[in-house]
């Protein structure tokens, strides 16, 4: 399953590396939005769960992965800019669906608030509008370590908090990736977390009120950081919202174990293609070199 690779120009300001997994029989295209400090590789399992039922698009933010060599990194990207990049990619690929993971949900909410005409359904996974005590501790320690550009402590922080339910192999790959980022990537993440800590906490809910398509909010039962009960607050603001909690899994959902992988796939297909969802199990649990999403 080899993707079609392209580096796209976004309004003459950014260059974005993309992977397009084409499926000849697929009727719809879905675009995947990474979390912080992540690359297209973080969606390896999700791609396997969605392809070939859909054409699948992955991309790296301008500051990350295979996009970063094509950009100058002269200023930090806001979630509003990331939302505009997503809107451009939705139009370019003609995507009908979007799926975000973790902090990728912030840019996705911004994009969906613009009511892009092509989008029919959206999935926002491992995200909530609440900065609870667990998340606040994680963010405050994270912004401290990032400010010091201490990749070692950032890597251990991720694995001991939101990544604590990952298999040990994934934790090793995760630490290797997070602890060796470029200087500008730590700067971008420091900017992002500082914005989360000091901005209006209602901004996500204000964006949610403008969304006019069905949205599935997908969270893990064991995720203390973006808790399922907190995500349900979106139900008061998104007109067509559905909520699913994956049992016995944490923040990283389909990466944590085989049952979670299966349940995640069933939840996605049950929402995106309810009339065609198969009860058969279709997955092979990926264990390879992945830069995990946060």
């Amino acid at each position: 399953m080899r993707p079609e690779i392209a580096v796209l120009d976004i309004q003459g300001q950014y260059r974005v590396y993309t992977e397009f997994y084409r499926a000849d029989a697929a009727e719809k295209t879905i675009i995947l939005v990474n979390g912080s400090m992540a690359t297209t590789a973080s969606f390896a399992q999700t791609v396997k769960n969605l392809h070939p039922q859909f054409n699948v698009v992955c991309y790296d933010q301008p500051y990350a992965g295979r996009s970063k060599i094509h950009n100058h990194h002269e200023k930090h990207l806001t979630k509003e800019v990331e939302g505009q990049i997503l809107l451009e990619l939705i139009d370019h690929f003609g995507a009908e669906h979007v799926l975000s993971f973790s902090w990728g949900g912030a840019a996705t909410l911004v994009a969906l608030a613009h009511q892009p005409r092509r989008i029919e359904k959206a999935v926002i996974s491992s995200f909530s509008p609440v900065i609870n005590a667990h998340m606040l501790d994680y963010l405050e320690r994270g912004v401290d370590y990032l400010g010091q550009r201490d990749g070692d402590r950032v890597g251990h922080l991720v694995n001991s908090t939101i990544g604590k339910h990952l298999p040990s192999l994934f934790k090793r790959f995760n630490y290797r990736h997070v602890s060796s980022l470029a200087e500008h990537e730590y700067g971008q993440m420091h900017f992002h977390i500082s914005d989360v800590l000091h901005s209006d906490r209602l901004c996500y809910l204000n964006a949610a009120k403008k969304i006019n398509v069905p949205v599935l909010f997908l969270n893990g039962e064991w995720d203390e950081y973006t808790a399922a009960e907190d995500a349900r607050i979106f139900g008061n603001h998104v007109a067509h919202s559905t909520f699913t909690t994956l049992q016995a899994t944490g923040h990283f959902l389909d990466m944590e174990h085989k049952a979670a992988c299966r349940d995640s796939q069933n939840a996605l297909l049950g929402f995106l293609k309810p009339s065609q969802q198969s009860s058969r199990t279709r997955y092979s649990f990926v264990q390879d070199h992945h830069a995990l999403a946060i």
Side-chain angles (χ1 to χ4, degrees), residues 65-92:
R66 298 184 185 180
S67 290
K68 61 185 177 183
I69 63 171
H70 302 288
N71 294 279
H72 298 298
H73 317 298
E74 295 172 343
K75 59 183 178 180
H76 300 310
L77 272 67
T78 65
K79 61 181 177 294
E80 288 77 19
V81 170
E82 292 187 5
Q84 288 297 323
I85 290 172
L86 176 56
L87 289 170
E88 291 285 335
L89 295 175
I90 287 169
D91 283 344
H92 178 85

Side-chain angles (χ1 to χ4, degrees), residues 1 21 32 40-51 56 58 170 252-258 260-262 264-265 268 282-288 290 292:
M1 184 171 60
Y21 294 85
L32 311 185
T40 54
S42 68
F43 277 127
Q45 185 65 63
T46 310
V47 170
K48 291 177 72 69
N49 283 351
L50 291 170
H51 188 273
V56 182
C58 301
F170 280 172
F252 283 92
L253 303 179
D254 59 16
M255 286 185 161
E256 294 188 352
H257 53 80
K258 290 183 178 180
C261 175
R262 176 200 63 217
S264 179
Q265 182 188 43
L268 292 177
R282 178 199 169 273
Y283 67 83
S284 58
F285 193 53
V286 174
Q287 294 207 10
D288 204 343
H290 303 308
L292 305 188

Side-chain angles (χ1 to χ4, degrees), residues 35-168:
S36 300
M37 293 188 279
T39 71
T40 54
S42 68
F43 277 127
Q45 185 65 63
T46 310
V47 170
K48 291 177 72 69
N49 283 351
L50 291 170
H51 188 273
Q53 291 91 337
F54 299 94
N55 299 310
V56 182
V57 178
C58 301
Y59 69 99
D60 286 334
Q61 294 290 356
Y63 52 79
R66 298 184 185 180
S67 290
K68 61 185 177 183
I69 63 171
H70 302 288
N71 294 279
H72 298 298
H73 317 298
E74 295 172 343
K75 59 183 178 180
H76 300 310
L77 272 67
T78 65
K79 61 181 177 294
E80 288 77 19
V81 170
E82 292 187 5
Q84 288 297 323
I85 290 172
L86 176 56
L87 289 170
E88 291 285 335
L89 295 175
I90 287 169
D91 283 344
H92 178 85
F93 288 101
E96 291 87 4
H97 304 314
V98 60
L99 182 156
S100 68
F101 177 77
S102 195
W103 287 111
T108 301
L109 287 170
V110 169
L112 293 175
H114 286 272
Q115 301 183 355
R117 61 182 179 83
R118 295 180 181 276
I119 294 297
E120 299 172 2
K121 291 182 179 180
V123 179
I124 295 182
S125 67
S126 295
F127 187 81
S128 101
V130 176
I131 305 298
N132 63 21
H134 295 285
M135 179 60 80
L136 183 61
D137 174 70
Y138 169 68
L139 294 176
E140 288 180 339
R141 285 194 283 163
V143 80
D144 180 28
Y145 302 159
L146 287 165
Q148 300 174 43
R149 304 299 192 263
D150 191 337
D152 176 70
R153 295 176 81 182
V154 174
H156 286 301
L157 175 66
V158 172
N159 280 343
S160 65
T161 53
I162 60 173
K164 63 184 177 181
H165 298 294
L166 284 167
S168 58

Side-chain angles (χ1 to χ4, degrees), residues 4 10 32 40 51 53 65-66 76 87 111 131 140 165 175 196 198-199 201 213 217 222 228-229 236 245 251 283:
E4 300 171 19
I10 305 296
L32 311 185
T40 54
H51 188 273
Q53 291 91 337
R66 298 184 185 180
H76 300 310
L87 289 170
I131 305 298
E140 288 180 339
H165 298 294
Y175 172 80
V196 171
H198 298 109
S199 66
R201 302 289 173 84
V213 296
F217 294 93
W222 293 343
E229 59 267 29
N236 299 323
T245 302
H251 188 76
Y283 67 83

